[in-house]
Amino acid sequence: MGEGTKPAGGLPVINMVGERVALGPLQRDLLPSYQRWVNDFHTLRTLGLRPAPLTLEAETAWYDGQGDSSTITFTVYERSTWRPVGNTGLHAVDHRNRSAVFGILIGEPDARGRGYGTETARLMLDYAFTALGLHSVMLSCFAYNLAGHRAYTKAGFKEIGRRRQCRSMGGRLWDEILMDCLATEFESPVLGKVFVPDGPRG
Ligand SMILES: CC(C)(COP(=O)(O)OP(=O)(O)OC[C@H]1O[C@@H](n2cnc3c(N)ncnc32)[C@H](O)[C@@H]1OP(=O)(O)O)[C@@H](O)C(=O)NCCC(=O)NCCS
């Protein structure tokens, strides 16, 4: 399917559109995809979740718990096909201190390594700073997650510290890397053109 071609069921509901990906609300009918993504042990290798079977009931309970105002989660769509390829979210959203924690999962293996993670991280920073007015967004990634570390760096995150040797993988212990980005260090790619006051007519 070419760029901009409509999928059979029409376009999904979308909040933000980038060059390669678009972000929209979670959708109940996508629960089987969400569940499939978090049952892929290769994907879980670089996530904080324990590698264990996760039932559709457990995934549905996660979905039903998403109304909480401290967590804001999106579906990531590939723009060229409009297929859902992952989830991303802000967690621990704290409006008093203007901070949040970023998370991401590009669940379709063939959608990785195409710049989608980088652009998703950038769109989520834009959302956090421009739409929500937050000031500090943090993430953590394991030191062996080279794709993640590179994608986050390209999106605008900087390393701020490490929890040493707290993650076992491939027979050795690895650091957990903490990264952050501040609103003052970030230039809005999309929403800066959306969240503007009306000008007078004529
Ligand atoms: C981590 C993740 C979000 C990255 O998203 P992605 O779409 O694959 O990443 P991108 O294509 O935007 O960027 C990856 C970058 O890392 C580079 N990269 C990939 N593997 C690499 C490796 N082994 N060594 C060095 N660089 C590597 C790519 O070349 C690319 O950089 P470039 O654009 O300069 O060439 C995605 O792979 C994912 O969701 N993985 C599974 C779950 C997960 O790890 N979630 C995040 C937990 S912190």
Side-chain angles (χ1 to χ4, degrees):
M1 211 183 292
E3 170 82 14
T5 308
K6 287 186 185 174
L11 288 182
V13 178
I14 292 298
N15 304 110
M16 294 180 71
V17 182
E19 287 172 14
R20 301 173 196 204
V21 298
L23 306 184
L26 293 182
Q27 297 245 147
R28 190 175 286 278
D29 63 347
L30 293 179
L31 273 168
S33 294
Y34 304 154
Q35 185 208 3
R36 180 165 49 78
W37 297 336
V38 289
N39 275 286
D40 180 341
F41 284 167
H42 185 75
T43 301
L44 294 180
R45 195 180 55 99
T46 46
L47 274 181
L49 296 174
R50 72 182 172 138
L54 206 126
T55 61
L56 186 56
E57 288 71 24
E59 193 63 12
T60 305
W62 166 80
Y63 176 91
D64 288 337
Q66 290 295 308
D68 167 8
S69 65
S70 67
T71 302
I72 302 172
T73 314
F74 293 89
T75 302
V76 181
Y77 293 92
E78 177 176 58
R79 263 199 71 183
S80 59
T81 60
W82 292 110
R83 70 172 168 151
V85 294
N87 292 121
T88 185
L90 293 175
H91 311 280
V93 175
D94 178 341
H95 289 286
R96 182 177 185 282
N97 295 302
R98 300 171 58 206
S99 63
V101 177
F102 165 75
I104 182 170
L105 158 70
I106 301 296
E108 297 295 347
D110 71 339
R112 297 189 196 125
R114 298 185 182 188
Y116 298 168
T118 303
E119 188 174 51
T120 299
R122 206 174 277 135
L123 290 176
M124 288 300 282
L125 286 172
D126 195 12
Y127 175 70
F129 299 143
T130 314
L132 299 185
L134 301 182
H135 180 67
S136 161
V137 176
M138 194 191 94
L139 65 77
S140 74
C141 79
F142 302 119
Y144 56 83
N145 185 358
L146 300 180
H149 190 265
R150 171 93 182 122
Y152 309 144
T153 303
K154 288 202 315 179
F157 284 94
K158 291 180 184 146
E159 186 170 329
I160 51 169
R162 285 175 178 241
R163 181 179 177 191
R164 295 171 301 157
Q165 300 178 13
C166 63
R167 178 78 174 189
S168 173
M169 183 58 59
R172 59 165 278 203
L173 290 169
W174 299 79
D175 295 349
E176 181 175 14
I177 302 175
L178 304 182
M179 306 179 84
D180 76 3
C181 181
L182 301 181
T184 43
E185 300 164 346
F186 186 77
E187 194 171 331
S188 167
V190 173
L191 294 180
K193 298 179 208 75
V194 175
F195 287 93
V196 288
D198 281 346
R201 277 208 190 109

